[in-house]
Amino acid sequence: MSLRKTLTAAGLFALLAGTASAQSTLVYCSEGSPEGFDPALYTSGTTFDASSHPIYNRLTEFEVGTTNVIPGLAESWDVSEDGMEVTFNLREGVKFHSNDMFTPSRDFNADDVIYSFERQTVDGWTGEYFTAMGMGDLISSIEKVDDMTVKFTLTRPEAPFVANLAMDFASIQSKEYADAMEEAGTPEMLNQQPIGTGPFSFVDYQSDAVIRYAANEDYWKEGLPKVDNLVFAITTDASVRYQRLQAGECHIMPYPNPADIEAMQSDENINVLEQEGLNVGYLAYNTMQEPFDNPDVRKALNMAIDKQAIIDVVFQGSGQIASNPIPPTMWSYNEAIEDDPYDPEAAQQMLADAGVEDLSMKVWAMPVQRPYNPNARRMAELIQEDMSQIGVDVEIVTYEWGEYLERSADEERDGAVLLGWTGDNGDPDNFLAVLLGCDGVGGSNRANWCHEPFQELIVEAKTLSSQDERAALYEEAQAIFKDQAPWATIAHSVVFMPVRPEVEGYKVHPLGGHIFTEVSLAE
């Protein structure tokens, strides 16, 4: 007999939360399992939701519901006139969590900041973000001015630098905890038993089932968090998440099936929040492999894809066709770009002209729902059908989510991979440099596309302080991207978030994170 049939909603709350106080326990039916709990190692939103947002803080933060940069563990910062030095004045009295293995002997200070960044510069570091953003080349030095002051010296001016430090990879770790675990011979504990300064402390994780957190009673933001316990009930099937939401077994669920949204909106026991997403879904060709190293072949394949059918079938109309690698709500979006037309006959002729016959390829389909792709398997099937019309044989492959992300970053990967992106900081650099820049090859740049004319533009744009001047370069870069076609740009989606009516204070975050610090439950 199923768990749902044998437990009442209140009983499930008690089981998941390990507490008798269901009213103070917020249950989030998450869509997947985290890869780990050290956000510097990963790029997945699923992992950030479970690690970065509840457990850690950063020097700067994004105001929830906006892309505004606000103080975090740094109360203030100063940027030198030439933009080459950024000095952060740290917040005093911030406490780290503790666990069975570790009790901190001091408050947060400059040593923790320096450790959190310098560890990402060592040889063999596997964190994609730090590498893809070229942070190792950007940061010349990090200096401890005193216990509560840290100065970053840069190799060049970097317009989005302060906003970048609000991103998940820049979460601040405890150096004291890291040293203790290194001495104990268990450095992996940073990723398995995380310690941070965030609103919730980690309690335990039952793999692929549930993550438990407890409110941080010493949290430096007074009056927060507003619930005593937070539970992630990992529920990979959107239909099951919907059932649990209806039954009161969870309070919030992400990524509903598009076909269910209308019913949810008419249900008095569900509030459906929505916001136009700062995202893009795409199909990335491995441009290091033949014949995908030829832009004419890539453009031909793009012209074979019926994107409107994908919007109708996969998104149920809750999205729009993507022409550019950045969403239309983002500054510098190039409205003059024309999308590749859907023209199978012309696509077939282009392949023939390129000398490509009897092409067989793999299309990778994600095993989880994301805001930019609610059903990757169905999308892959539609692409498979479209490609068959021009004589291209497509095999659909997939893997468990963590393995999918790891394998799809391999420079030897065959075929094309379905993925997408939700912006991290509201800056075009976060899309164009991270996803398409040379530093991201073999990592977040799943197309493995390093094109110097494009690279020169995005590097120059970051050094400028004028947004208008930056926008002009980014618009030019988008034109180059469209001409070279390392991706088939598929869609930008609307984000829907169904919540129970007793949920108060939840905000749909434009940067894609699910953040519960200010969420409460009505009596």
Side-chain angles (χ1 to χ4, degrees), residues 132-152:
M133 296 176 69
M135 297 293 282
D137 294 330
L138 172 65
I139 299 173
S140 174
S141 65
I142 310 174
E143 177 186 348
K144 178 181 178 180
V145 179
D146 57 45
D147 278 350
M148 304 310 295
T149 312
V150 175
K151 182 172 73 174
F152 287 74

Side-chain angles (χ1 to χ4, degrees), residues 305-508:
I305 299 173
D306 186 350
K307 296 184 187 179
Q308 188 59 54
I310 290 174
I311 295 295
D312 295 341
V313 173
V314 176
F315 291 86
Q316 300 282 304
S318 61
Q320 65 182 93
I321 291 174
S323 299
N324 290 333
I326 66 174
T329 52
M330 176 167 279
W331 62 270
S332 83
Y333 182 84
N334 191 336
E335 296 183 359
I337 297 293
E338 293 186 8
D339 197 24
D340 300 311
Y342 171 55
D343 191 339
E345 290 185 6
Q348 195 165 18
Q349 185 60 53
M350 283 184 69
L351 287 181
D353 292 344
V356 175
E357 298 179 355
D358 301 321
L359 176 61
S360 295
M361 62 180 289
K362 292 181 179 179
V363 168
W364 295 44
M366 298 178 299
V368 298
Q369 290 176 289
R370 304 304 302 146
Y372 46 75
N373 193 333
N375 191 335
R377 178 74 192 194
R378 186 70 183 106
M379 186 182 292
E381 290 170 351
L382 293 172
I383 292 172
Q384 181 184 53
E385 184 178 342
D386 288 340
M387 294 297 183
S388 71
Q389 301 303 309
I390 62 168
V392 175
D393 181 58
V394 166
E395 176 189 356
I396 299 172
V397 298
T398 193
Y399 300 92
E400 178 273 330
W401 185 220
E403 185 178 2
Y404 184 95
L405 292 171
E406 182 178 353
R407 284 175 173 260
S408 65
D410 191 334
E411 294 180 17
E412 300 299 320
R413 184 202 78 234
D414 51 359
V417 60
L418 283 170
L419 260 177
W421 196 255
T422 298
D424 291 295
N425 62 8
D427 195 290
D429 175 74
N430 182 243
F431 284 77
L432 300 178
V434 174
L435 303 181
L436 294 160
C438 295
D439 289 329
V441 170
S444 56
N445 182 342
R446 291 309 202 277
N448 293 316
W449 182 67
C450 179
H451 189 65
E452 282 304 319
F454 178 92
Q455 181 73 10
E456 289 172 4
L457 289 170
I458 62 172
V459 169
E460 182 182 354
K462 288 196 293 187
T463 67
L464 304 176
S465 58
S466 165
Q467 188 173 106
D468 288 343
E469 292 179 2
R470 294 183 70 204
L473 296 181
Y474 287 137
E475 288 177 19
E476 189 177 345
Q478 290 166 69
I480 292 174
F481 163 88
K482 203 63 185 180
D483 178 66
Q484 291 293 306
W487 299 349
T489 49
I490 304 293
H492 309 292
S493 74
V494 175
V495 175
F496 294 95
M497 281 297 299
V499 305
R500 297 281 303 176
E502 60 267 30
V503 172
E504 297 181 341
Y506 182 84
K507 297 178 181 178
V508 180

Side-chain angles (χ1 to χ4, degrees), residues 57-59 71-75 89-91 94 108 172 197 220:
N57 293 115
R58 289 142 294 283
L59 291 176
L73 292 179
E75 288 187 312
N89 305 302
L90 306 183
R91 190 177 301 276
V94 176
F108 155 77
I172 301 301
T197 61
W220 53 272

Side-chain angles (χ1 to χ4, degrees), residues 55-234:
I55 298 170
Y56 298 99
N57 293 115
R58 289 142 294 283
L59 291 176
T60 58
E61 306 273 358
F62 293 109
E63 181 182 11
V64 178
T66 79
T67 58
N68 298 332
V69 178
I70 60 175
L73 292 179
E75 288 187 312
S76 63
W77 51 90
D78 301 294
V79 182
S80 63
E81 189 172 338
D82 63 2
M84 301 284 279
E85 294 181 351
V86 185
T87 302
F88 292 92
N89 305 302
L90 306 183
R91 190 177 301 276
E92 295 188 0
V94 176
K95 311 292 185 185
F96 278 102
H97 309 150
S98 61
N99 60 25
D100 292 341
M101 299 175 290
F102 172 76
T103 300
S105 67
R106 61 166 175 79
D107 292 347
F108 155 77
N109 68 24
D111 293 333
D112 304 305
V113 176
I114 293 172
Y115 166 74
S116 297
F117 289 97
E118 285 192 344
R119 72 185 184 123
Q120 301 187 57
T121 65
V122 301
D123 291 341
W125 175 255
T126 58
E128 285 185 32
Y129 258 117
F130 193 86
T131 302
M133 296 176 69
M135 297 293 282
D137 294 330
L138 172 65
I139 299 173
S140 174
S141 65
I142 310 174
E143 177 186 348
K144 178 181 178 180
V145 179
D146 57 45
D147 278 350
M148 304 310 295
T149 312
V150 175
K151 182 172 73 174
F152 287 74
T153 300
L154 310 182
T155 59
R156 63 177 184 272
E158 181 90 349
F161 181 71
V162 171
N164 287 346
L165 295 194
M167 291 168 55
D168 303 276
F169 81 93
S171 295
I172 301 301
Q173 299 275 356
S174 164
K175 183 181 187 300
E176 191 180 20
Y177 181 50
D179 289 345
M181 293 303 98
E182 187 71 34
E183 184 176 347
T186 57
E188 68 277 6
M189 287 298 103
L190 271 69
N191 197 26
Q192 297 175 13
Q193 300 286 330
I195 291 286
T197 61
F200 295 95
S201 61
F202 176 84
V203 176
D204 63 52
Y205 171 42
Q206 296 176 24
S207 181
D208 299 328
V210 61
I211 314 169
R212 297 181 180 89
Y213 311 85
N216 177 6
E217 295 180 357
D218 295 320
Y219 192 45
W220 53 272
K221 291 186 180 181
E222 187 175 352
L224 298 176
K226 295 185 176 182
V227 294
D228 297 322
N229 302 280
L230 173 65
V231 171
F232 277 40
I234 298 168

